[in-house]
């Protein structure tokens, strides 16, 4: 039987339980332990697939096609834990399953209640994530904040589960906040005491406290927290604000969090180390050789988490090239009303990410035209590829009004359209091309040069496809079809030969990028952005002559 770690949060939301869980996974993997991570989400939606990105943030897609919470992206970036549909459980999924069983008669006429039927279903999902696998530790993050009504069934299930498997086999790690009151110049522990007390009322005793703080916790303060929260002093771990999320595993390791976990779970302690992580990720981030500025032209720019994997994959591309990637977030709607030069001038590369709906599309098309005509490295992803096809059709092929049928069902040139079998689909949830599909790359293409493979598997989340009716015209005009999904001959990658680096793909490569293993397309995109920057800044023969480091622009 594996050991279990349940990660909960208190005081306020957005403390970073996902990053904390992923970091714990990382330090345990460094010891040779096999880890799997799971997220329990309290919302009633079956999955986040139809939720507004402004409310929920990015929808993270797994290899098996599950639409999941963005925290699963952190799990995959930090660890080698296999992630799939069993790793994200929502209240909606739980109730859907229980009601289906009730309708089928599985409960033999019993009154269906939260306890035991809902809690039993939740406990079964916790067990299922490691069933049939060689797993040493299961890390389960409970979404929400202690005290939320929505989280209570999950917390009750955790209480029961910990009792059933025994204290030597399951622990609770509680992430909390130690606020700094500037007027008084003091850190305050009372919110943490109340949060731990609220958790105890539910029947769960915290074993380890991760204390988010902007100031260092003194030994005396840690001892005070330990005394009033009923934990060992060494189990009070400072989770201080850091420059990069990739420093968090190092901070936990320095405070011997791994040793505390092994002691509580009766696991053999192996020293392990994070030397490679420090050397190849954190040190590179902290000491970049130079900086490049990348414009991300999107429609959900106001929310940081809406393009979380995109931003992280760009950082990974920077790490692979030893540079800082400064992001310039540009609202696509603003481009519709302003000359592109006004917002895009000075950028070393332009990336247009995915999305749904017609809002901001014309701004994305303008950004792509600017990148194409000004020879600026361009990277289009999902909707970004579709917009690249639309821009080329209008401005190179001369197809006036060319569009996607998603935005204009009556366009004379539907260069992007639904497949025939999708025409009658009405439901939005779970009806797209989702998950990993093979892509065969064309020899001699920039894409194949980047991957160094003939066939790659990448994750998808879209409905509309490139219309092969126009394929011949595109290729004659200089747009290369660099990758296809062989079953159905669907276009997956397009690129321009007469351009330093212009690649767009229908899939989402950002989901498979890691800080210590950047995705090939992001690595090459940043490499070409560096070349573009060198031309502008006067860097010659590797010497920096006139380079101004650009900080991230909000």
């Amino acid at each position: 039987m594996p050991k279990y770690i349940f990660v909960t949060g208190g005081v306020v939301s957005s403390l970073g339980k996902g990053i904390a869980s992923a970091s714990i996974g990382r330090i345990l993997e460094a010891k040779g332990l096999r880890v799997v991570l799971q997220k329990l989400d309290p919302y009633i939606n079956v999955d986040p697939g139809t939720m507004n990105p402004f409310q929920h943030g990015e929808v993270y897609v797994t290899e098996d096609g599950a639409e999941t919470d963005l925290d699963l992206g952190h799990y995959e970036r930090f660890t080698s834990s296999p992630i799939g549909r069993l790793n994200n459980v929502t209240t909606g999924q739980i109730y859907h399953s229980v009601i289906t069983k009730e309708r089928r008669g599985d409960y033999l006429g019993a009154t269906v209640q939260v306890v035991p039927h809902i809690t039993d279903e939740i406990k079964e999902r916790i067990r299922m994530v490691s069933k049939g696998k060689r797993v040493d530790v299961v890390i389960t993050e409970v979404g929400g904040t202690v005290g939320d009504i929505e989280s209570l069934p999950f917390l009750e299930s955790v209480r029961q589960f910990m009792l059933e498997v025994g204290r030597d086999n399951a622990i609770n790690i509680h992430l909390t906040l130690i606020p700094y009151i500037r007027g008084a110049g003091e850190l305050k522990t009372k919110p943490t005491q109340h949060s731990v007390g609220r958790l105890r009322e539910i029947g769960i005793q915290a074993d380890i406290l991760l204390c988010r703080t902007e100031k260092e916790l003194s030994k005396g303060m840690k001892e005070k927290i330990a005394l009033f929260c009923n934990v060992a002093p060494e189990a009070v771990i400072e989770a201080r604000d850091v420059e990069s999320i990739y420093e968090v595993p190092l901070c936990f390791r320095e405070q011997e969090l791994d040793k505390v976990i092994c002691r509580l779970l009766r696991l053999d302690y192996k020293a392990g180390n994070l030397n490679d992580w420090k050397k190849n990720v954190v040190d590179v981030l902290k000491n970049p050789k130079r900086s490049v500025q990348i414009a991300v032209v999107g429609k959900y720019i106001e929310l940081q988490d809406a393009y979380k994997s995109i931003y992280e994959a760009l950082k990974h591309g920077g790490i692979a090239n030893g540079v800082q990637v400064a992001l310039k977030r540009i609202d696509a709607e603003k481009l519709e009303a302003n000359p592109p030069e006004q917002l895009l001038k000075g950028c070393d590369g332009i990336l247009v990410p995915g999305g749904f709906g017609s809002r901001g599309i014309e701004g994305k098309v303008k950004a792509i035209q600017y990148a194409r005509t000004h020879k600026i490295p361009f990277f289009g992803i999902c909707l970004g590829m579709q917009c690249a096809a639309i821009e080329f059709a209008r401005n190179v092929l001369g197809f006036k009004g060319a569009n996607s049928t998603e935005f204009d069902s009556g366009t004379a040139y539907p260069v992007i359209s639904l497949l025939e079998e999708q025409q009658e689909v009405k439901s939005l949830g779970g009806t797209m091309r989702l998950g990993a599909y093979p892509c065969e790359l064309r020899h001699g293409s920039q894409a194949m040069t980047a991957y160094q493979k003939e066939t790659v598997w990448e994750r998808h989340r879209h409905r509309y496809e490139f219309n092969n009716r126009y394929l011949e015209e595109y290729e004659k005009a200089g747009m290369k079809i660099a990758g296809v999904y062989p079953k159905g001959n669907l276009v997956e990658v397009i690129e321009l030969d007469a351009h330093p680096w212009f690649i767009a793909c229908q899939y989402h490569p950002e989901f498979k990028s890691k800080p210590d293993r950047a995705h090939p397309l992001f690595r090459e995109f940043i490499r070409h952005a560096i070349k573009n920057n060198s031309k502008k800044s006067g860097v010659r023969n590797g010497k920096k002559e006139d380079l101004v480091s650009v900080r991230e622009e909000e």
Side-chain angles (χ1 to χ4, degrees):
M1 184 183 73
K3 305 288 187 174
Y4 293 89
I5 297 172
F6 294 97
V7 180
T8 55
V11 184
V12 295
S13 60
S14 300
L15 287 179
K17 289 195 302 296
I19 294 168
S21 300
S23 298
I24 292 166
R26 183 74 196 188
I27 63 175
L28 293 181
E29 279 194 345
K31 302 180 173 309
L33 294 170
R34 295 179 295 267
V35 173
V36 67
L37 291 103
Q38 181 185 48
K39 174 77 180 288
L40 306 181
D41 268 314
Y43 51 77
I44 298 176
N45 304 66
V46 172
D47 59 49
T50 58
M51 294 170 71
N52 189 324
F54 285 118
Q55 288 190 17
H56 185 268
E58 168 188 84
V59 174
Y60 188 81
V61 179
T62 60
E63 287 285 291
D64 60 0
E67 295 174 287
T68 69
D69 184 80
L70 62 84
D71 279 328
L72 274 74
H74 294 311
Y75 302 166
E76 279 207 301
R77 284 187 282 272
F78 279 68
T79 74
S80 57
S81 171
I83 299 295
R85 60 183 66 254
L86 292 177
N87 299 75
N88 195 194
V89 180
T90 71
T91 295
Q93 292 172 12
I94 296 297
Y95 275 83
H96 183 271
S97 178
V98 169
I99 290 169
T100 300
K101 290 177 181 178
E102 184 273 329
R103 294 287 83 188
R104 209 166 49 213
D106 290 10
Y107 299 121
L108 302 176
T111 301
V112 180
Q113 298 175 295
V114 173
V115 180
H117 301 96
I118 296 298
T119 53
D120 282 352
E121 186 73 20
I122 293 169
K123 288 186 290 182
E124 180 59 23
R125 295 298 183 95
I126 294 170
R127 294 186 185 96
M128 283 172 63
V129 77
S130 62
K131 200 170 184 178
K133 302 172 184 174
R134 295 180 62 197
V135 175
D136 296 311
V137 182
V138 175
I139 302 171
T140 298
E141 174 193 350
V142 183
T145 306
V146 170
D148 293 348
I149 293 172
E150 296 91 341
S151 299
L152 285 175
F154 286 121
L155 293 172
E156 170 60 18
S157 302
V158 168
R159 183 193 71 79
Q160 294 178 21
F161 193 96
M162 294 178 74
L163 194 63
E164 290 168 9
V165 301
R167 293 295 295 164
D168 289 346
N169 296 310
I171 61 171
N172 169 254
I173 297 180
H174 193 54
L175 180 61
T176 183
L177 177 69
I178 307 293
Y180 176 67
I181 309 302
R182 294 190 181 279
E186 292 179 346
L187 290 166
K188 293 296 182 181
T189 67
K190 194 65 71 177
T192 290
Q193 295 176 43
H194 285 309
S195 179
V196 172
R198 192 68 183 269
L199 194 62
R200 274 202 300 263
E201 289 174 11
I202 296 168
I204 300 172
Q205 167 62 52
D207 298 289
I208 297 172
L209 296 179
L210 302 181
C211 301
R212 279 299 303 272
T213 174
E214 58 180 293
K215 301 286 185 179
E216 182 180 356
L217 298 181
S218 66
K219 181 182 177 184
M221 182 160 286
K222 285 186 177 183
E223 289 173 347
K224 177 183 177 181
I225 293 169
L227 177 65
F228 284 99
C229 295
N230 197 31
V231 300
E234 64 268 22
V236 179
I237 305 296
E238 180 182 288
R240 204 188 314 179
D241 297 348
V242 289
E243 291 179 27
S244 166
I245 59 174
Y246 301 119
E247 294 180 64
V248 177
L250 300 180
C251 294
F252 287 172
R253 178 68 181 80
E254 286 170 9
Q255 297 177 75
E256 299 188 328
L257 172 60
D258 52 343
K259 184 177 286 188
V260 177
I261 290 172
C262 289
R263 176 176 60 79
L264 291 170
L265 289 176
R266 305 292 191 269
L267 289 166
D268 291 335
Y269 180 75
K270 300 173 185 176
N273 66 71
L274 293 171
N275 293 342
D276 288 345
W277 185 267
K278 181 179 184 301
K279 177 183 175 183
N280 300 326
V281 177
V282 176
D283 288 349
V284 176
L285 275 172
K286 286 191 163 187
N287 303 286
K289 293 181 286 188
R290 55 193 295 189
S291 175
V292 293
Q293 187 178 48
I294 302 297
V296 178
V297 182
K299 54 199 297 180
Y300 313 119
I301 289 298
E302 292 89 342
L303 183 67
Q304 163 77 13
D305 285 344
Y307 296 118
K308 187 64 179 175
S309 291
I310 293 281
Y311 297 151
E312 293 306 313
L314 286 169
K315 286 182 189 176
H316 304 163
I319 292 169
N321 287 281
V323 300
Q324 176 195 20
V325 175
L327 300 176
K328 184 173 186 179
R329 301 179 179 91
I330 298 176
D331 189 330
E333 286 187 281
K334 290 183 179 178
L335 266 175
E336 293 179 346
N338 295 283
E341 295 85 357
Q342 188 175 321
L343 296 172
L344 296 170
K345 189 175 181 180
C347 293
D348 302 309
I350 297 171
L351 186 148
V352 176
F356 294 90
S358 60
R359 184 176 61 82
I361 292 301
E362 296 306 318
K364 291 190 174 193
V365 170
K366 282 175 70 174
I368 294 166
Q369 182 182 15
Y370 183 83
R372 180 177 59 80
T373 56
H374 287 75
K375 306 295 185 184
I376 299 171
F378 167 75
F379 194 6
I381 294 174
C382 196
L383 180 60
M385 188 201 93
Q386 296 176 5
C387 288
I390 292 168
E391 189 279 326
F392 195 84
R394 291 178 185 176
N395 301 314
V396 178
L397 297 178
F399 293 172
K400 187 176 181 181
N403 217 325
S404 166
T405 54
E406 179 183 4
F407 316 130
D408 181 4
S409 58
T411 176
Y413 298 100
V415 294
I416 304 294
S417 63
L418 286 173
L419 296 177
E420 188 175 338
E421 60 267 27
Q422 295 174 304
Q423 299 288 341
E424 301 303 317
V425 173
K426 302 299 181 186
S427 174
L428 292 179
T431 59
M432 296 177 283
R433 189 146 72 99
L434 286 164
Y437 287 82
C439 172
E440 292 184 355
L441 299 173
R442 184 171 173 177
H443 283 270
S445 65
Q446 289 183 312
M448 189 170 178
T449 300
Y451 281 103
Q452 291 294 297
K453 291 180 181 179
E454 293 184 359
T455 303
V456 295
W457 286 78
E458 294 284 3
R459 301 178 196 176
H460 296 66
R461 183 175 183 255
H462 69 280
R463 291 186 185 84
Y464 292 80
E465 305 280 356
F466 185 95
N467 191 338
N468 283 349
R469 188 197 314 172
Y470 302 99
L471 195 148
E472 190 174 335
E473 285 102 320
Y474 274 88
E475 293 212 296
K476 282 182 179 178
M479 179 167 277
K480 178 185 290 184
I481 307 305
V484 296
Y485 169 47
K487 186 178 178 181
N489 196 36
L490 301 178
V491 173
E492 297 276 46
V493 185
I494 58 177
E495 58 185 57
L496 294 178
D497 281 334
H499 194 283
W501 205 85
F502 187 107
I503 290 183
C505 54
Q506 185 60 76
Y507 48 77
H508 289 268
E510 69 272 20
F511 293 147
K512 299 187 78 168
S513 187
K514 292 176 179 277
D516 49 353
R517 292 197 302 278
H519 190 282
L521 294 183
F522 279 92
R523 182 195 67 225
E524 291 304 296
F525 175 51
I526 298 301
R527 187 169 72 84
H528 282 81
I530 294 169
K531 285 185 177 181
N532 187 38
N533 176 278
S534 297
K535 292 176 185 176
K536 296 184 305 177
S537 60
V539 176
R540 296 292 183 270
N541 300 319
K543 294 181 179 179
K544 184 168 61 176
E545 295 173 6
D546 182 26
L547 180 67
V548 178
S549 180
V550 185
R551 292 193 175 274
E552 181 176 301
E553 296 186 27
E554 297 295 341

